[in-house]
Amino acid sequence: MVRVTSISIETVYVWELYPHMIQWHQHHRRFLPQDVEESTRAHINALLIMSSAVMIEGCLCTLLKFYVSGTGSPLKPGRWTLDPISLLSNRIRENLAEEITKSTWRDLKNRLFKVVTGKDLKDLAGEHWEPVDHLFDFRNLLSHGEEINIQGEVVASDGLPLKNVRRNKERLFTFLEGCGFLHPPAMARPMGWSLLSDQVADFFVQHARAFLSCTVAQCPDSDHVQSLPKRIRIVLDATDTPGPEFDEPIYRKEHPSEKDASH
């Protein structure tokens, strides 16, 4: 009697939490009182920026591992054999999947994405590339809890602007100034939490979503109705803007049981 053994595999895509998390935080931020402390908005916006970076990294890593070894991958041979070439290909794919799991944003953008898909991530991203690349500068600043140092010389005859400014995050600040979110350093005009304003956070959220949508739309896909690229597009579309259920604060909604008890 031959015993047939089947294998059950369940995959939970953790990155899918983040589009919903971003939508949720943006929704609740809308109902904060106008006079709420600036740091309260700043901590929500810091979460939005960090969540956007996690969403991108997690989504791209999941997508690349799907291409390398996932069921229904358009880049995977339909049949494995035991000849040496197929075995070599299998080992290479397994090694590549492990490398993707341990990768950073730098690894993904510089090498791994092109190795797997044959496409340059920067070319696919178009206008969203620069904001997303700076998003990861921002993420690194926030995730490591670093301090921000701004030093400059005050020239009395020139008024408020500082001269010979030195900052430990110059690349990020120059970009934010170029986008109009920050003023150049000046005496008696501290930056404060303007670095984490609603406008800054929403800018990065918008470009992070658009970056993934634009990238996935140009990536290889199969005819499978539940392929991962299709699933990614569905998740992004579903969390793009708050629906009617977000017209009021969720935490203020009256529970059905409470409504019945009031009659």
Side-chain angles (χ1 to χ4, degrees):
M1 179 177 179
V2 178
R3 178 177 293 178
V4 178
T5 303
S6 61
I7 299 174
S8 175
I9 299 176
E10 179 184 6
T11 301
V12 178
Y13 297 109
V14 177
W15 75 267
E16 289 184 355
L17 292 173
Y18 287 89
H20 295 277
M21 191 185 304
I22 291 166
Q23 186 185 53
W24 192 89
H25 280 106
Q26 283 183 309
H27 157 69
H28 283 292
R29 193 190 60 191
R30 291 165 49 202
F31 298 97
L32 288 175
Q34 291 299 317
D35 59 348
V36 72
E37 289 189 22
E38 192 178 20
S39 60
T40 300
R41 285 189 176 275
H43 92 250
I44 293 176
N45 292 327
L47 287 171
L48 287 170
I49 290 168
M50 294 178 70
S51 296
S52 296
V54 174
M55 174 182 70
I56 288 175
E57 250 183 359
C59 182
L60 290 182
C61 285
T62 300
L63 182 64
L64 294 187
K65 285 190 284 187
F66 161 74
Y67 284 142
V68 169
S69 57
T71 302
S73 167
L75 305 183
K76 180 181 175 182
R79 180 182 227 173
W80 294 106
T81 64
L82 296 179
D83 67 89
I85 298 300
S86 290
L87 292 174
L88 172 61
S89 176
N90 199 9
R91 289 195 299 271
I92 291 173
R93 286 171 179 267
E94 289 175 354
N95 181 268
L96 191 53
E98 184 177 348
E99 190 176 350
I100 292 167
T101 300
K102 299 176 181 178
S103 66
T104 64
W105 168 245
R106 181 179 298 177
D107 301 326
L108 290 170
K109 71 174 184 177
N110 288 344
R111 190 175 69 85
L112 286 176
F113 191 87
K114 190 168 185 178
V115 166
V116 175
T117 67
K119 299 175 180 289
D120 193 300
L121 193 56
K122 183 176 181 179
D123 293 340
L124 298 184
E127 63 179 311
H128 309 297
W129 173 255
E130 189 176 10
V132 164
D133 201 27
H134 284 90
L135 167 65
F136 283 90
D137 292 336
F138 214 152
R139 190 279 305 270
N140 292 340
L141 168 66
L142 295 172
S143 62
H144 294 293
E146 297 181 55
E147 75 281 0
I148 299 169
N149 294 316
I150 304 173
Q151 300 179 32
E153 300 171 0
V154 180
V155 181
S157 59
D158 292 339
L160 294 178
L162 299 179
K163 305 294 182 181
N164 300 320
V165 175
R166 298 180 298 281
R167 297 178 286 196
N168 59 332
K169 297 296 175 184
E170 185 62 41
R171 182 174 183 266
L172 175 60
F173 291 127
T174 298
F175 175 73
L176 292 175
E177 285 174 6
C179 293
F181 294 122
L182 296 179
H183 296 291
M187 187 68 177
R189 190 170 62 190
M191 178 179 64
W193 291 115
S194 59
L195 177 70
L196 289 167
S197 67
D198 293 0
Q199 292 75 22
V200 170
D202 289 346
F203 171 82
F204 283 110
V205 167
Q206 177 186 354
H207 280 285
R209 287 184 182 279
F211 165 83
L212 282 181
S213 296
C214 186
T215 299
V216 173
Q218 301 175 77
C219 280
D221 197 0
S222 66
D223 295 332
H224 198 282
V225 293
Q226 294 183 335
S227 70
L228 186 59
K230 292 183 181 67
R231 179 170 180 154
I232 291 171
R233 290 196 290 270
I234 289 171
V235 171
L236 293 174
D237 290 343
T239 58
D240 186 27
T241 54
E245 69 276 16
F246 285 89
D247 287 343
E248 59 178 294
I250 296 173
Y251 47 77
R252 291 184 196 166
K253 283 187 176 179
E254 191 176 9
H255 193 276
S257 59
E258 296 174 353
K259 188 180 297 185
D260 295 338
S262 63
H263 292 297

